[in-house]
Amino acid sequence: MKKLVEVKNLCVDYITFDGRVRAVNDVSFHIGEREILGLAGESGCGKSTIAYSLMRLHRPPAMISDGEILFEGQDVLGMNDEELRSFRWKDTSMVFQSAMNCLNPVKTIEYQFRDIFEAHNVVKNREESIEKAKELLRIVDIPTERLFDYPHQFSGGMRQRVVIALALALKPKLLIMDEPTTALDVVVQREILQKVYQLKEEFGFSILFITHDLSLMVELCDRIGIMYSGQLVELAPAKEILSKPKHPYAHGLGDSFPTLHGELQEMKGIPGTPLDLSNVPQGCRFAPRCFKATEACRQAEPKLVGAGENRWVACHDPMPIESTPSSTLEAV
Ligand SMILES: Nc1ncnc2c1ncn2[C@@H]1O[C@H](COP(=O)(O)OP(=O)(O)O)[C@@H](O)[C@H]1O
Ligand SMILES: [Mg+2]
């Protein structure tokens, strides 16, 4: 698979009055062409910071302090303002947390499409803009006569579809979705993600998908990266990460995740609380919560290394593969 995005040793800091907090620490991964890569992990582990950094949409106090981001081999961190403007809608676009509330409430949907088309000089006149916008509404299953309505005239699910249509307006190669459906009910969530999947199949873009809903993630993604405390601790094919986890944290996530099929099982959860990033211990960051941590884990930080075909793990003593957690999705 050809690589569309390569992230190498990315470090992002937040500079606060209390000092420097490293929210993303030495993270490396790639997203293949037409691939859906998921990022999972507890709240505050750095997922959104990565998403924003990829598009260079991070704002102070966030600062990219090290690493490289390549998009089709091009250095994103070295782009000038003009290159960035084009990169942001034409090459990559983003649907973020509560994006449906980001539509301009006093402008019609038609205006919001036209605004993007005109800013990027892709239409000659309003008629052409309306035609293009209607085509985009059609692909997200919204009746084209709704084009002249205002955001408040749509339901939450429809507004999110409009946001997705806007994100796809310039046919980007990468769509970043950060908790795109969290505010919606589960049925609408599923419908929207199915639609996104169909569109991805049809147009061939790649997706970086972030959600705390692991069952949705396993269904939608090709590969999943599990983050803990600003670091990527495991990266594996979606179908293996919860059924055959190698990192004890991924193993714990599998055990705190309800089954859709099979017998009712007790969910165990992961003891302890997420790490305070302003006070990072020596050694492995997960060691204080890890049931199999040894002295070696408390001394030296494990690096993300290859661990079998298409798998990477950052652990001194990865789980043996037969130690499948008790509750995994039989259906996946
Ligand atoms: N505006 C901010 N100021 C200071 N620190 C921040 C800010 N935003 C995020 N952080 C830090 O970055 C960490 C990662 O945040 P974020 O990327 O939003 O996590 P996630 O999306 O995984 O929930 C947080 O735990 C917090 O320590
Ligand atoms: Mg987030």
Side-chain angles (χ1 to χ4, degrees), residues 14-16 21-24 41-50 60-62 97 178-179 210 277:
Y14 285 92
I15 317 290
T16 68
V21 171
R22 179 144 291 188
V24 174
E42 284 159 325
S43 176
C45 70
K47 306 179 298 292
S48 297
T49 304
I50 291 184
Q97 243 153 320
D178 185 2
E179 309 267 8
I210 295 172
L277 285 174

Side-chain angles (χ1 to χ4, degrees), residues 244-255:
K244 296 178 190 141
K246 292 195 185 212
H247 196 284
Y249 177 60
H251 182 266
L253 282 182
D255 256 352

Side-chain angles (χ1 to χ4, degrees), residues 94-112:
M94 183 161 170
V95 175
F96 41 86
Q97 243 153 320
S98 65
M100 61 192 191
N101 300 324
C102 296
L103 292 168
N104 186 337
V106 297
K107 300 286 186 190
T108 64
I109 300 300
E110 188 266 323
Y111 176 90
Q112 312 201 30

Side-chain angles (χ1 to χ4, degrees), residues 80-116:
N80 62 29
D81 286 354
E82 199 173 314
E83 288 166 329
L84 260 187
R85 229 185 339 268
S86 150
F87 169 71
R88 280 195 189 130
W89 278 93
K90 286 194 182 141
D91 287 334
T92 168
S93 68
M94 183 161 170
V95 175
F96 41 86
Q97 243 153 320
S98 65
M100 61 192 191
N101 300 324
C102 296
L103 292 168
N104 186 337
V106 297
K107 300 286 186 190
T108 64
I109 300 300
E110 188 266 323
Y111 176 90
Q112 312 201 30
F113 276 102
R114 185 153 39 97
D115 201 25
I116 294 175

Side-chain angles (χ1 to χ4, degrees), residues 18 25 34 36 52-53 84 93 107 156 164 189 202 240 253 304:
D18 300 329
N25 186 33
R34 309 179 76 97
I36 309 184
Y52 282 90
S53 303
L84 260 187
S93 68
K107 300 286 186 190
I164 290 168
Q189 244 182 40
E202 189 178 335
E240 292 176 25
L253 282 182
L304 192 74

Side-chain angles (χ1 to χ4, degrees), residues 1 28-32 35-40 207-209 214 217-227 231-251 253 304-314 318-319 321 332:
M1 188 189 290
S28 301
F29 62 88
H30 74 267
I31 308 172
E35 182 181 36
I36 309 184
L37 178 75
L39 276 186
I207 301 177
L208 177 66
F209 182 53
L214 279 168
M217 184 166 272
V218 168
E219 271 183 56
L220 192 70
C221 295
D222 298 306
R223 286 186 307 146
I224 294 177
I226 305 271
M227 291 192 60
Q231 294 177 323
L232 199 55
V233 294
E234 183 157 6
L235 191 58
K239 295 200 167 27
E240 292 176 25
I241 199 134
L242 293 175
S243 61
K244 296 178 190 141
K246 292 195 185 212
H247 196 284
Y249 177 60
H251 182 266
L253 282 182
L304 192 74
V305 292
E309 203 190 333
N310 206 5
R311 300 202 55 163
W312 287 266
V313 67
M319 307 290 296
I321 218 65
V332 295

